[in-house]
Amino acid sequence: MIHDFIYDIPVRVYFGKDQLSNLGPELKKWGKRVLLTYGGGSIKRIGLYDKVLKEIKEAGLEVHELSGIEPNPRIASVRKGAQMCKDLKIDVLLAVGGGSTIDATKFMAAGALVDFDPWDFFDMKKRVPVEKALPIVSILTLSATGSEMDCGGVISNPETNDKIGCMCPPMLPKASFLDPTNTYTVSPYQTACGAADMLSHIFEVYFIMDQDLYMLDCFMEGLMKTIIKYAPVAMKEPENYEARANLMWTSSWAINGFIDGGKRQAWSCHPMEHQLSAYYDITHGLGLAILTPRWMEYCLDETTVSKFRQFGVNVFGIDSSLAPMDIARKAIKLLGDFLFGTLGLKSTLTDLGIDSTHFAEMADKAVNGGTLPGFKPLVKKDVEAIYSMCLKD
Ligand code: NZQ
Ligand code: ZN
């Protein structure tokens, strides 16, 4: 049975290298006072900051700035931005950067309109939903998270070792500028992590045993093949427009909601990875790369083999006449070869200096004291076992 769903992705996307002249008019739609947010300075190094300021000023808008948003953005930055929005009576927020900057900006926009601490949006005991937010426009500089076209964000609280995500429609960007040339300076390492993140966003939806829309499975397989084809090209030739453009548009479509149509939603690797980033501040995509093949191995059995077979045949071109279990095992091996060989990512938690010290508490947080109801339902002991598998090749 194919479930009912609503398709509604109202983000205006300006895609390509000559779109920035639309920034002023786009911001003007939402008001006069702009809060420009960014991270540690890459936007200055690539010359984007000057171009953005020029457009804002030419449009006659008032601009204020908040910089220094961290990778794995912290609640302290969100609090600061929300307060600035209140004090400066900001009308619209402009996030320029990767997923961390865009995510943090979303919660600043939401925090600006409430009189409680923004951590209450995340605190598992409170979990206050975001009901409204100031308008957000984004300029993406790193293809990975899809934050430019989804309504979610993930924020860390180092005081409690928490990293928690939250999806709420009011935080969907009104518009996003996707210029592949802005990603030319993304390092090979961040390009690889971005590829692993995008792949995981697709896997989290693809690997569900629901009766699916065939059309969406084909679409997802196309997105996966695009990442596998172009991530290595972008790493070797950082200014290859075709590669950067393909990765950029794929990052948005991997998580903007389109591929979810009619699917039961139950993610597995992301909740497990968020604990790794929360406890060890590692790059999200790297944590996913290490976890994913182990999670697949752990899930593979007679009840799940058909989906792995489909993945192996359609994405990696494995001979369909082989036994399903052989195809499945080969597909998982080829995925590992891609992540750790072709993309050169570290393959174990041990390589990152992580041991089993916190696995029990991390596993408990990942399942939120219950069950992750994904491809194969996982309870605390399963997650602990998967973390342990990540200690060695
Ligand atoms: O801070 P700056 O100086 O900008 O440098 C960044 C940062 O050091 C740098 N960078 C970004 N664009 C660049 C660049 N360097 C050179 N040239 C450029 N054009 O890259 C580093 C990483 O940036 P970050 O924004 O942290 O990376 P990413 O886009 O991968 O975002 C990761 C965050 O997003 C969350 C992750 O958990 C993590 O916190 N996610 C958000 C999601 C969402 N909104 O739906 C879903 C994802 O699953 C993910 O959880
Ligand atoms: Zn992700």
Side-chain angles (χ1 to χ4, degrees), residues 38-43 45-46 69-73 96-101 103 106 141-147 150 152-154 163 167 182-187 190 194 197 201 255 267 270 273-274 277 283-284 288:
Y38 54 98
S42 69
I43 70 158
R45 289 192 294 280
I46 67 177
I69 297 170
E70 316 81 1
N72 294 329
V96 186
S100 295
T101 293
D103 281 9
K106 288 174 174 172
T141 66
L142 197 166
S143 307
T145 65
S147 189
D150 76 12
V154 193
K163 182 173 181 186
M167 307 278 278
N182 286 334
T183 65
Y184 281 175
T185 50
V186 174
S187 65
Q190 286 291 348
D197 190 19
H201 296 160
I255 201 174
W267 288 29
H270 273 69
E273 195 296 313
H274 287 158
S277 290
T283 307
H284 173 62
L288 289 170

Side-chain angles (χ1 to χ4, degrees), residues 10 49 72 131 172 200 216 227 241 243 254-255 291 294 325 350:
Y49 172 84
N72 294 329
E131 283 171 356
L172 193 68
S200 178
L216 283 181
I227 299 161
Y241 188 84
I255 201 174
L291 282 165
R294 276 74 178 208
M325 200 48 96
T350 310

